[in-house]
Amino acid sequence: SQKIEQNSEALNIQEGKTATLTCNYTNYSPAYLQWYRQDPGRGPVFLLLIRENEKEKRKERLKVTFDTTLKQSLFHITASQPADSATYLCALAPQGAGSYQLTFGKGTKLSVIP
Amino acid sequence: GAGVSQSPSNKVTEKGKDVELRCDPISGHTALYWYRQSLGQGLEFLIYFQGNSAPDKSGLPSDRFSAERTGGSVSTLTIQRTQQEDSAVYLCASSSGRANNEQFFGPGTRLTVL
């Protein structure tokens, strides 16, 4: 069965360091992958999308990589700040007509310590 | 412009009662999604509406769950004869409906079934 795993439920890092979050999947051939941020009591907010034929995407302090051979995406936040503390979700969309239907991971809760 | 709104923000009900949850998507968005988020779990897809097409109901967990979207805008998720396991946060999202498009989430409705 299809499975999406985010490396850990929680990750603590020191302010200023680079945070790296992992999203692994099995039995899946995604058309694209998205990353969302979710703060407590709020809905997820879209951050970045990367397609199957793209290796890397950047947006300000954020960088996403996508390795379809390893079946893995890495999400990096450079020069992390306490305001980056949140839960980060990866979501995959299947190939074909059903690409609207995202499957979400359980998320990784990131805490940036001042 | 206004984002996705949901009401009520919190709903406490007794087991066996029916509940209705409402979602107002972003104006002009043709696609609308309902998800369920339980504690410690990822977002679980429930149903998808796209324009005038028949909805994808493949994620609805039982026939106690139903949803409709009137006039291609507002959507209502109805849960009949609620059970304690229905307790969760119900999230609505909308998108422009184009492939690979980001989803805009509402704040969710927290449902507690006593």
Side-chain angles (χ1 to χ4, degrees):
Chain A
S1 62
Q2 296 173 346
K3 198 172 179 182
I4 299 171
E5 286 186 344
Q6 295 193 238
N7 58 326
S8 57
E9 288 188 11
L11 180 65
N12 298 329
I13 64 163
Q14 207 71 34
E15 182 177 4
K17 301 291 186 184
T18 296
T20 299
L21 284 66
T22 305
C23 179
N24 294 297
Y25 59 93
T26 56
N27 298 323
Y28 211 106
S29 294
Y32 61 89
L33 184 149
Q34 297 182 348
W35 283 89
Y36 287 79
R37 168 183 173 141
Q38 187 173 23
D39 291 281
R42 295 177 177 261
V45 174
F46 172 83
L47 296 174
L48 281 167
L49 177 152
I50 187 164
R51 294 181 176 81
E52 58 167 340
N53 59 349
E54 297 176 319
K55 297 292 186 187
E56 182 178 300
K57 271 283 186 69
R58 291 176 184 262
K59 179 182 177 182
E60 298 172 351
R61 293 184 297 112
L62 308 180
K63 184 178 85 171
V64 172
T65 63
F66 196 9
D67 188 326
T68 54
T69 301
L70 291 178
K71 296 186 182 298
Q72 180 181 81
S73 174
L74 299 179
F75 177 80
H76 305 274
I77 306 175
T78 58
S80 59
Q81 305 166 0
D84 295 327
S85 299
T87 295
Y88 291 85
L89 308 172
C90 69
L92 282 79
Q95 304 270 357
S99 64
Y100 59 82
Q101 190 175 125
L102 295 177
T103 301
F104 285 82
K106 293 183 181 180
T108 296
K109 184 177 180 180
L110 175 67
S111 297
V112 180
I113 303 162
Chain B
V4 177
S5 61
Q6 293 186 244
S7 61
S9 55
N10 281 285
K11 176 72 176 178
V12 180
T13 191
E14 293 179 348
K15 177 181 172 182
K17 301 283 189 182
D18 297 352
V19 295
E20 280 191 357
L21 313 179
R22 177 187 167 105
C23 172
D24 282 87
I26 292 173
S27 177
H29 277 186
T30 59
L32 187 147
Y33 304 75
W34 282 98
Y35 294 89
R36 179 168 68 177
Q37 189 173 34
S38 304
L39 194 63
Q41 300 297 315
L43 273 72
E44 176 188 5
F45 167 81
L46 297 178
I47 189 168
Y48 164 74
F49 296 90
Q50 169 60 272
N52 295 321
S53 302
D56 177 353
K57 304 180 183 180
S58 60
L60 295 178
S62 76
D63 59 8
R64 297 186 295 104
F65 288 72
S66 63
E68 62 178 23
R69 188 178 185 191
T70 54
S73 181
V74 171
S75 177
T76 302
L77 176 70
T78 301
I79 308 173
Q80 296 179 310
R81 304 181 303 282
T82 51
Q83 304 294 312
Q84 288 184 331
E85 60 262 29
D86 299 335
S87 296
V89 176
Y90 289 82
L91 290 158
C92 172
S94 71
S95 76
S96 68
R98 287 184 284 117
N100 304 344
N101 209 259
E102 67 182 274
Q103 296 184 19
F104 293 82
F105 283 82
T109 294
R110 181 174 296 278
L111 174 66
T112 303
V113 182
L114 301 176

